[in-house]
Amino acid sequence: MLFNSLDFIIFFVVVFTAYVWLPHRGQNILLLVASYFFYGCWDWRFLSLIALSTTVDFVASNGIYRSDDPQTRKRLLVFSIVINLGILGFFKYFNFFVDSATALLAGFGLETPRLNLHIILPVGISFYTFQSMSYTLDVYRGQLVPTRRFTDYALFVSLFTQLVAGPIERAKNLLSQVTSPRVVTWSGIQTGTWLFFWGLFKKVVIGDNLALLVDQVFGGSVAWNTGSVLLGIYAFALQIYCDFSAYSDMARGLGMYLGFNIMINFRNPYFALNPSELWRRWHISLSTWLRDYLYIPLGGNRRGPRRTYINLLLTMVLGGLWHGAAWTFVLWGAFHGGLLALHRWFQERWPPAPTLSWAGRGWRTLAMFHATCFGWLLFRANSMRDVTGMLKALLQPGWLPEFPGWIFQILLLALPLLGIQIRQERTQDPLAPLRLSLFPRIILYTFMLFMLVTYANTGSRAFIYFQF
Amino acid sequence: MLVLNPIQPSLAEAEVRWLKRYGWLFPVLGFPLGLLIKGALWSGTLLNASFLPSNLAGWLSPLGLLIGTIISLVPVAWWLMLTLEIKIKSGGRGWLLAPVMACVCFILLEMAFRTYPVQAIFWQGVIARAGDQTQAREVGLYRLQAAADRKAKSPAGFVFPGSSQVVQGIDCAELSQLTGAPVYRRAVSGLFPIELICSQGLITFNHDNRLILLLSGFDVGARADLVPDAIRPQATWSGLRHVLRAAPASFQLRHWRNFVDLCFAASCDLWRSRDYVRFMWENPVAPNIIRNNAAAQSALNQQLQGYQRLGSNPEMVALCWQALDLFLGDMAQHFQNIIVFESRINPTSPPSASALDLENQTRRFFENQQHLQRIRFIPRAAQHLDLPPEYWADNTHVNAAGRQLLTEMIARFVDDTSP
């Protein structure tokens, strides 16, 4: 059940109507049942996985909290991590590691039997596993008191608004909202409506329409040359941003209807001036998770520059692997790790100016955008062979009759987005469009409505990040 | 929870100041822009891209001036909205005003889209961009003619809706000449019975018209399922209601998403035409003239495979008959009379036993309709027309010689019932 489907709208209207009439405990039970139903709509068999993950972390965290024995606490933590990563590793990475090991052994001339299993990847497994793990880790570190109600914890893990593609919420933010009464307000409905429709617009008008172009380029159905590869990469950069940030916006919007304040996951990432800023603007919930539970425990920047660079690289490689079981994702992670390390190296030698001129900001933004786009080539390419093929094609000038139409389409879809984002960036306010005066708002809403009716891709294409 | 202020007074004042300072730019730039839109861009967007007005009078057009006036009035509208918003700011739910007014603007857009000038511009634009995309051209022509016939009080004649068998098999100009009455063709490839029924609103425009249909078991069994993409561009409420009434509840439940889509299309012309609005965006100026022989071959193969699967979904066949029954009953009220010719296919394709059975059942259905005095049915045997393989272009479509024979045959039968 996709957010951009009629099925979901009916589902949400039914849930919301019941929700506003129920007391707090009833609301939580309703949301838990609705969330399991929502997840079960993909494949009811995977409900057992989310239930297992929830139960293990609930029991382990309560055990950790109650125990004074450091050994017991550690054992419970390891038990929780092994179960969570075991489920994730088996369903997501088993075939990848087997294939890689087979290829490696074959390189040494050793033939091994095929061990590939037909495993279906449970949707959103990476998101809820990380969310659930962060809870146990926070309890272990003494930063959180575990909840005593299983249903509250189960709702924290499975809340349908952000279950399948994040943001990866922290218990400090979301669980406290689950356990305390929530208020449905007109203001929340207004903001929620804007966020939902803005997300819907980004997804079905921009993202899904650009997907048609992107699929042609990366699928190899058009000849690769400088023009086609560049247009394909620019289109993908827009598509993935619109697709993923759309889900986060819609999740936040739906949360606001229900009285939840779900964290912001994107802050105009393509306006970033450097790699470090990019990761403070892109998929914030994952980058802060990796920072808090991987980079800092590895030593962060406390053990000298060389170790810092290694930590950055390692964190980003694992971040890349989190996205998917393929070497292209590993390479993408390594690329960003390398960029972060390089940026830090430069910063240490040439500290940045406290203020930047308009032109200085402009060229840095453009340079960072193009570096990000290069990363997207690695991310989206279907195989390592395609990566090399497309990189070679970047140096082969060429023209296709489709180009004028593609350029027109990319501009048509990118310009409204850019207009809104410039406004958000200048005011540092994600809800800047809501604060416009009446006339520009009417123009904006009419334009969005018109495009949703006439140009939305109604093919119900799943969100890209569902596969992660 | 964040509480939003609809507008801050300082922001409103800043906007008023801005409008006072720069508002004059709207008329100064708006009129040249309007004239450009009506002049160069207009020429570029339609068929005559090479033509540009060479004198001043050619550039000064009423539509260009109208566009310029609309752009000039933007600061006035903006200022009015600002004062309006400041007044309702204390109203509590002032934030609802913008979405409501956006919906009103959208309704106005929809109403403007339905007017004949906009329909003519739009569908001409589609036809201009169609290149060798025959479906786009056929739908463009269909909708353009439908808009024109509704606008002008067209004289009574024959309305001839149908699928590609009508597009390729009937020479409407010749038929008009032979019968001495106008022939209004409403044919698009893939306009099988369900699609045809849904298009009812676009084929009824004069009570003195006569309806000609070319149908047989081939058409009734052609669709294995509901194809909303084929129905949408012609969907109207007057026709869709027959399909909704004819469809059993279980069918409606299974296809509820498609029916919601079609209900939108029947209610909102922008949704009905959405595939072609997209087509216009994707082909901003240059017509797409990429010849795709592989696609043509694939279409031919699909046609042959489709013939083998004729009537494979009994539920769809039953729905077709039920909906046709309601449609013909209703059409009998809207037309002087209805003549149904039993269509045919290339005799080199031997029909399967199930296809023959479907043909016979459909024939009986139309005979029954004739018995109810709703239609005049001309079965193949009564047509006295021999169309051997050399008159066929492919499995289902006649060639030029076949078109001549088929048109003359139809003229013979309808001539004695000329309006």
Side-chain angles (χ1 to χ4, degrees):
Chain A
M1 203 175 350
L2 302 169
F3 283 176
N4 54 323
S5 66
L6 272 172
D7 312 42
F8 178 78
I9 289 169
I10 293 170
F11 163 81
F12 187 75
V13 167
V14 171
V15 170
F16 183 69
T17 311
Y19 181 84
V20 290
W21 293 105
L22 287 170
H24 174 236
R25 297 250 26 99
Q27 286 179 338
N28 281 0
I29 300 291
L30 170 76
L31 288 182
L32 182 62
V33 172
S35 298
Y36 271 66
F37 172 79
F38 175 80
Y39 194 69
C41 284
W42 266 282
D43 196 327
W44 59 269
R45 290 169 300 176
F46 293 137
L47 285 173
S48 58
L49 288 182
I50 196 168
L52 175 69
S53 187
T54 305
T55 311
V56 165
D57 283 319
F58 181 77
V59 171
S61 56
N62 273 292
I64 290 168
Y65 184 69
R66 279 200 299 271
S67 172
D68 294 327
D69 177 21
Q71 283 299 320
T72 311
R73 286 164 58 85
K74 199 168 221 169
R75 270 190 214 117
L76 283 168
L77 178 70
V78 170
F79 169 70
S80 158
I81 290 175
V82 165
I83 294 288
N84 279 302
L85 291 185
I87 294 172
L88 188 63
F90 178 75
F91 280 93
K92 193 162 177 175
Y93 301 108
F94 182 84
N95 283 343
F96 171 66
F97 286 126
V98 166
D99 284 345
S100 301
T102 309
L104 186 70
L105 290 173
F108 290 109
L110 295 170
E111 285 297 319
T112 49
R114 287 184 67 82
L115 278 171
N116 276 26
L117 301 177
H118 294 287
I119 302 170
I120 307 166
L121 181 67
V123 70
I125 188 169
S126 308
F127 288 93
Y128 71 72
T129 303
F130 270 38
Q131 184 161 317
S132 192
M133 272 169 64
S134 74
Y135 173 79
T136 319
L137 286 162
D138 283 349
V139 172
Y140 178 77
R141 290 172 174 182
Q143 294 170 349
L144 193 74
V145 177
T147 178
R148 289 168 65 188
R149 267 189 221 275
F150 179 73
T151 49
D152 285 355
Y153 180 68
L155 178 58
F156 158 70
V157 176
S158 66
L159 183 63
F160 69 85
T161 57
Q162 39 80 250
L163 170 62
V164 286
I168 304 167
E169 273 288 356
R170 303 293 181 83
K172 271 176 241 168
N173 179 39
L174 189 60
L175 189 58
S176 58
Q177 295 181 58
V178 169
T179 51
S180 47
R182 297 171 294 273
V183 187
V184 177
T185 62
W186 277 113
S187 168
I189 289 174
Q190 179 199 7
T191 316
T193 307
W194 160 255
L195 286 170
F196 186 83
F197 277 99
W198 176 234
L200 188 69
F201 178 81
K202 282 197 286 186
K203 165 72 180 156
V204 299
V205 176
I206 306 179
D208 286 358
N209 280 314
L210 287 173
L212 304 172
L213 195 160
V214 170
D215 290 350
Q216 279 187 66
V217 175
F218 284 88
S221 57
V222 292
W224 285 340
N225 55 41
T226 314
S228 62
V229 173
L230 272 181
L231 288 175
I233 296 170
Y234 287 142
F236 182 65
L238 277 175
Q239 185 209 345
I240 193 164
Y241 170 67
C242 287
D243 190 285
F244 191 21
S245 70
Y247 186 89
S248 296
D249 285 346
M250 289 162 104
R252 288 189 68 223
L254 294 169
M256 285 199 167
Y257 267 89
L258 303 170
F260 287 101
N261 192 4
I262 290 170
M263 71 178 289
I264 292 175
N265 213 14
F266 291 87
R267 287 183 195 275
N268 305 330
Y270 294 144
F271 285 104
L273 300 173
N274 55 57
S276 174
E277 195 183 342
L278 175 77
W279 288 102
R280 289 198 300 273
R281 287 167 174 264
W282 178 276
H283 202 171
I284 299 165
S285 62
L286 176 70
S287 50
T288 49
W289 198 101
L290 291 172
R291 181 196 65 199
D292 294 347
Y293 300 109
L294 197 61
Y295 177 68
I296 292 175
L298 281 171
N301 57 3
R302 301 185 303 275
R303 297 187 186 172
R306 193 170 295 173
R307 185 61 192 268
T308 304
Y309 303 145
I310 292 170
N311 288 345
L312 282 171
L313 201 65
L314 196 62
T315 304
M316 291 313 292
V317 165
L318 289 171
L321 200 59
W322 174 89
H323 283 84
W327 285 107
T328 48
F329 292 118
V330 175
L331 193 64
W332 176 75
F335 169 73
H336 275 287
L339 274 187
L340 284 168
L342 196 67
H343 173 246
R344 180 168 276 274
W345 184 82
F346 265 101
Q347 261 197 330
E348 280 164 3
R349 273 146 194 82
W350 298 282
T355 52
L356 286 170
S357 65
W358 182 88
R361 289 185 70 85
W363 81 258
R364 279 177 172 81
T365 306
L366 263 181
M368 191 58 228
F369 173 70
H370 281 87
T372 313
C373 283
F374 181 81
W376 291 135
L377 187 153
L378 309 174
F379 188 93
R380 178 60 178 81
N382 293 323
S383 64
M384 292 301 284
R385 183 175 294 183
D386 281 7
V387 171
T388 50
M390 292 178 95
L391 286 176
K392 279 180 195 164
L394 272 175
L395 303 172
Q396 294 165 359
W399 182 258
L400 293 174
E402 293 94 333
F403 283 178
W406 287 6
I407 293 168
F408 178 79
Q409 208 183 351
I410 292 173
L411 288 176
L412 171 82
L413 297 172
L415 287 178
L417 180 76
L418 190 67
I420 296 276
Q421 294 215 327
I422 287 174
R423 178 87 190 171
Q424 287 174 327
E425 190 64 17
R426 284 183 65 179
T427 55
Q428 288 296 308
D429 179 4
L431 298 174
L434 277 181
R435 312 206 203 278
L436 291 168
S437 71
L438 192 59
F439 186 72
R441 252 188 305 155
I442 292 171
I443 301 284
L444 174 67
Y445 294 169
T446 309
F447 173 75
M448 283 172 63
L449 192 55
F450 176 77
M451 292 298 274
L452 280 168
V453 167
T454 59
Y455 203 51
N457 192 318
T458 52
S460 287
R461 180 183 278 263
F463 289 85
I464 295 175
Y465 266 66
F466 278 16
Q467 62 187 296
F468 306 141
Chain B
M1 183 58 65
L2 186 68
V3 178
L4 290 168
N5 215 355
I7 184 169
Q8 298 156 2
S10 57
L11 179 63
E13 284 161 15
E15 286 186 21
V16 170
R17 275 202 304 277
W18 188 88
L19 284 172
K20 279 182 181 167
R21 202 167 170 190
Y22 297 111
W24 57 274
L25 279 170
F26 284 85
V28 167
L29 298 176
F31 278 102
L33 185 67
L35 297 173
L36 180 74
I37 291 169
K38 180 61 186 88
L41 294 183
W42 172 257
S43 302
T45 202
L46 286 181
L47 295 163
N48 48 353
S50 59
F51 173 76
L52 283 177
S54 55
N55 54 8
L56 187 65
W59 287 87
L60 287 174
S61 65
L63 189 58
L65 291 171
L66 179 69
I67 295 168
T69 311
I70 291 169
I71 297 172
S72 306
L73 290 175
V74 164
V76 180
W78 194 332
W79 181 78
L80 284 174
M81 298 284 173
L82 277 171
T83 49
L84 179 70
E85 185 161 32
I86 291 164
K87 275 187 184 167
I88 57 147
K89 189 185 145 191
S90 56
R93 289 186 197 154
W95 60 270
L96 267 176
L97 193 66
V100 168
M101 286 180 80
C103 290
V104 171
C105 286
F106 180 79
I107 292 167
L108 291 174
L109 268 176
E110 163 76 9
M111 286 164 69
F113 187 72
R114 284 172 182 245
T115 59
Y116 176 69
V118 180
Q119 287 279 306
I121 292 167
F122 180 77
W123 292 110
Q124 280 179 60
V126 170
I127 296 162
R129 286 158 178 78
D132 73 341
Q133 296 191 36
T134 49
Q135 189 75 16
R137 186 186 298 103
E138 285 170 15
V139 171
L141 280 168
Y142 180 113
R143 296 290 306 272
L144 186 63
Q145 286 163 359
D149 292 338
R150 282 179 155 265
K151 186 202 170 236
K153 287 192 175 149
S154 309
F158 296 103
V159 180
F160 206 150
S163 66
S164 55
Q165 283 204 319
V166 175
V167 175
Q168 297 186 36
I170 306 298
D171 185 339
C172 287
E174 169 112 19
L175 186 61
S176 177
Q177 232 172 18
L178 291 170
T179 57
V183 175
Y184 304 105
R185 197 181 78 173
R186 293 284 186 278
V188 175
S189 298
L191 203 80
F192 293 115
I194 294 293
E195 289 81 3
L196 168 68
I197 292 164
C198 288
S199 71
Q200 181 179 324
L202 297 174
I203 57 175
T204 49
F205 54 92
N206 185 337
H207 276 271
D208 293 328
N209 280 337
R210 286 150 200 261
L211 183 68
I212 309 175
L213 297 171
L214 191 63
L215 292 172
S216 68
F218 168 78
D219 302 276
V220 168
R223 292 278 191 223
D225 208 347
L226 207 63
V227 185
D229 288 347
I231 302 172
R232 194 184 303 114
Q234 296 91 20
T236 57
W237 268 116
S238 53
L240 184 62
R241 68 198 161 112
H242 298 313
V243 179
L244 284 168
R245 273 183 63 195
S250 59
F251 186 90
Q252 286 188 19
L253 266 177
R254 267 185 288 121
H255 291 85
W256 72 272
R257 291 178 195 82
N258 292 336
F259 280 121
V260 169
D261 178 347
L262 296 175
C263 289
F264 274 141
S267 316
C268 170
D269 205 356
L270 284 167
W271 185 275
R272 186 189 301 152
S273 311
R274 68 193 309 276
D275 300 328
Y276 296 93
V277 177
R278 164 185 291 274
F279 182 75
M280 294 281 271
W281 284 127
E282 287 170 357
N283 299 278
V285 174
N288 187 352
I289 48 166
I290 304 161
R291 196 155 290 283
N292 194 339
N293 292 329
Q297 186 58 44
S298 158
L300 194 63
N301 291 340
Q302 276 181 5
Q303 195 188 85
L304 286 168
Q305 286 166 6
Y307 183 66
Q308 298 304 319
R309 290 197 304 266
L310 203 63
S312 59
N313 184 353
E315 198 180 20
M316 275 300 287
V317 172
L319 174 67
C320 264
W321 282 331
Q322 185 67 28
L324 264 176
D325 182 51
L326 294 167
F327 171 73
L328 292 172
D330 193 22
M331 286 286 94
Q333 317 295 318
H334 288 89
F335 286 90
Q336 281 286 313
N337 62 17
I338 304 168
I339 311 160
V340 179
F341 290 89
E342 192 178 20
S343 64
R344 53 185 75 212
I345 56 162
N346 193 332
T348 50
S349 309
S352 62
S354 61
L356 269 176
D357 188 40
L358 184 63
E359 291 273 316
N360 292 333
Q361 286 185 57
T362 308
R363 194 174 298 124
R364 281 200 295 278
F365 169 82
F366 284 124
E367 282 165 359
N368 187 38
Q369 291 292 319
Q370 180 166 250
H371 190 67
L372 292 169
Q373 296 189 325
R374 288 172 171 173
I375 62 168
R376 182 180 166 206
F377 180 56
I378 321 283
R380 245 171 259 149
Q383 291 172 8
H384 306 298
L385 177 68
D386 187 29
L387 281 177
E390 59 268 26
Y391 285 92
W392 291 85
D394 57 40
N395 195 39
T396 50
H397 305 111
V398 288
N399 58 21
R403 181 162 59 238
Q404 179 76 20
L405 288 182
L406 203 56
T407 306
E408 284 169 4
M409 181 277 289
I410 286 174
R412 269 203 311 279
F413 279 94
V414 298
D415 209 21
D416 59 324
T417 59
S418 294

